[in-house]
Amino acid sequence: MFRKLLFILFALVFVAICTAGLFYMHLMSWADRPAQTNAAEKLFTVAPGQGLGKTADALRQEGLVSDALRFTILARLNKQDKQIKAGEYIFSPAMTPNEILGQMVEGRVHLYRVTIPEGFNMVQIAATVAAAGLSTEADFLKTARDPKTAESLNIQAKTVEGYLFPDTYYFPRGLDSATIIATMVKQFEAAFRPEWRQRAEALGLSVHEVVTLASIIEKETGAPEERPLIASVFHNRLKKGMRLETDPTVIYGIPDFDGNIKRRHLETYTPYNTYKIKGLPPGPIASPGTLAIEAALYPAQSDYLYFVSKKDGTHHFSKTHQEHKAAVRKYQLRRKKR
């Protein structure tokens, strides 16, 4: 009787092992088969604190996996059930369950591309980040204008204006504005080479003054190759104690500028009105790129003190005020009359 019971027990264990083995083989086969083929990609979100069961159910409801229970068992067998990262993912039913699980465990979340052009100021950058769905303009600007933000990033200014480096970035959704801003400032720090700091010191300029001057050069540049010449004009004027008299700085100091600069704007004092103040304004007016920063540090050698737009993206440069007035009549006043 005992032998018979032992035989039955062994038989049951054998059947259980075989069944478990078959189930495991079937599960591994299922894990390497996509739910569908040639299916469109979908944006799938794993919320913070979302459990494995809820995630598996959501995957099944979206048609990304065919069986929520098997997906749950797969994750637990792989000891990955507590390793899934929150975030947004791009999945397709043409992906296998193993591939989907692997992406979530590795946290390969969907990244949103944000391109910041050279010469954008904080307001424009905030709008660009908001358009990508990564922040609101109000929150981004509030953080960017907070002196504590600048202090935490070792910026010797009250805001981060000028230090949000122009580049293409890839961010996951869910980051706060402070993290996005810090990433852009770190990119500035990486781009501002050690020899540039030495050059700034040799010129008697702080990094902040270099960025300020570079931002003006950036905004005045119609043709990129003119940057060193434009820089030479500003350096020459600063050496002679002349006012910079540059419209972009005036515009920066005008609240809600409508795109039309008027004489009253030039005659109204603001800290950024370089027709009224001497020297550089208190800070950058935009984010300069590397070429503008380099031009500020290594201007062309010239005797030019003036330049005027030729209305074709380039400028006419003059050494004397008389030459400049003639150029203004030629390129500006006559065209207005026409």
Side-chain angles (χ1 to χ4, degrees):
M1 185 67 180
F2 175 75
R3 287 174 124 186
K4 188 175 181 179
L5 288 173
L6 192 61
F7 175 78
I8 292 171
L9 181 61
F10 275 120
L12 290 172
V13 171
F14 178 76
V15 170
I17 292 172
C18 289
T19 301
L22 288 171
F23 176 78
Y24 181 78
M25 290 174 61
H26 177 72
L27 180 65
M28 293 301 104
S29 175
W30 174 85
D32 284 325
R33 287 198 314 270
Q36 301 176 41
T37 57
N38 301 321
E41 292 182 333
K42 297 182 178 182
L43 187 66
F44 182 82
T45 303
V46 179
Q50 182 172 299
L52 174 62
K54 190 173 181 180
T55 300
D57 284 337
L59 287 168
R60 183 191 59 77
Q61 290 171 13
E62 290 291 334
L64 294 166
V65 300
S66 59
D67 191 310
L69 179 59
R70 276 187 281 191
F71 187 87
T72 301
I73 294 172
L74 175 68
R76 286 178 176 157
L77 281 176
N78 290 340
K79 296 182 179 179
Q80 295 174 320
D81 51 312
K82 299 187 186 302
Q83 298 178 24
I84 292 174
K85 311 294 191 304
E88 290 184 335
Y89 297 87
I90 296 292
F91 291 145
S92 164
M95 295 172 64
T96 68
N98 266 331
E99 289 172 335
I100 291 172
L101 180 60
Q103 281 202 24
M104 291 192 292
V105 168
E106 293 174 19
R108 281 185 277 150
V109 296
H110 178 56
L111 300 177
Y112 290 84
R113 176 175 172 162
V114 179
T115 298
I116 307 303
E118 295 168 344
F120 263 30
N121 60 34
M122 285 193 305
V123 174
Q124 293 169 307
I125 293 171
T128 303
V129 172
L134 296 169
S135 175
T136 64
E137 291 182 51
D139 183 69
F140 188 94
L141 285 173
K142 181 182 178 182
T143 306
R145 288 170 171 163
D146 188 343
K148 291 181 181 178
T149 301
E151 183 181 0
S152 70
L153 296 170
N154 296 316
I155 295 172
Q156 305 302 309
K158 294 181 179 179
T159 76
V160 297
E161 182 74 276
Y163 297 89
L164 303 175
F165 194 71
D167 207 340
T168 295
Y169 300 89
Y170 294 88
F171 294 114
R173 191 164 283 170
L175 294 180
D176 57 21
S177 294
T179 302
I180 295 172
I181 287 168
T183 301
M184 294 179 178
V185 172
K186 285 177 183 176
Q187 192 68 2
F188 165 83
E189 291 171 349
F192 203 97
R193 302 195 290 267
E195 58 266 33
W196 287 0
R197 295 182 185 275
Q198 295 171 6
R199 173 65 175 171
E201 187 175 346
L203 291 173
L205 297 172
S206 67
V207 170
H208 188 64
E209 288 171 327
V210 170
V211 177
T212 301
L213 180 54
S215 72
I216 300 171
I217 294 166
E218 193 73 83
K219 295 299 287 185
E220 284 282 16
T221 305
E225 64 273 12
E226 287 188 346
R227 287 188 181 102
L229 269 180
I230 288 174
S232 74
V233 171
F234 290 136
H235 274 278
N236 291 341
R237 292 180 76 92
L238 288 170
K239 286 176 186 175
K240 289 180 177 291
M242 298 173 66
R243 292 185 175 89
L244 295 184
E245 297 184 350
T246 170
D247 290 356
T249 61
V250 178
I251 291 168
Y252 186 81
I254 301 171
D256 303 319
F257 180 64
D258 63 4
N260 185 21
I261 191 165
K262 300 178 178 67
R263 180 172 293 278
R264 63 179 172 82
H265 293 138
L266 303 179
E267 294 174 351
T268 301
Y269 173 84
T270 77
Y272 288 88
N273 187 345
T274 51
Y275 287 84
K276 293 294 182 182
I277 67 166
K278 286 189 176 181
L280 292 166
I285 60 172
S287 288
T290 52
L291 293 178
I293 296 172
E294 196 164 37
L297 289 166
Y298 303 95
Q301 295 299 311
S302 83
D303 295 324
Y304 293 133
L305 292 171
Y306 307 90
F307 60 84
V308 63
S309 172
K310 293 159 62 175
K311 299 294 186 180
D312 64 355
T314 64
H315 296 83
H316 179 90
F317 294 84
S318 302
K319 297 178 182 179
T320 68
H321 191 243
Q322 285 297 112
E323 290 176 12
H324 178 61
K325 286 197 297 183
V328 170
R329 285 194 297 270
K330 178 179 180 180
Y331 295 108
Q332 299 285 326
L333 299 182
R334 287 180 184 176
R335 297 196 178 201
K336 285 182 180 179
K337 288 178 182 179
R338 291 176 189 170

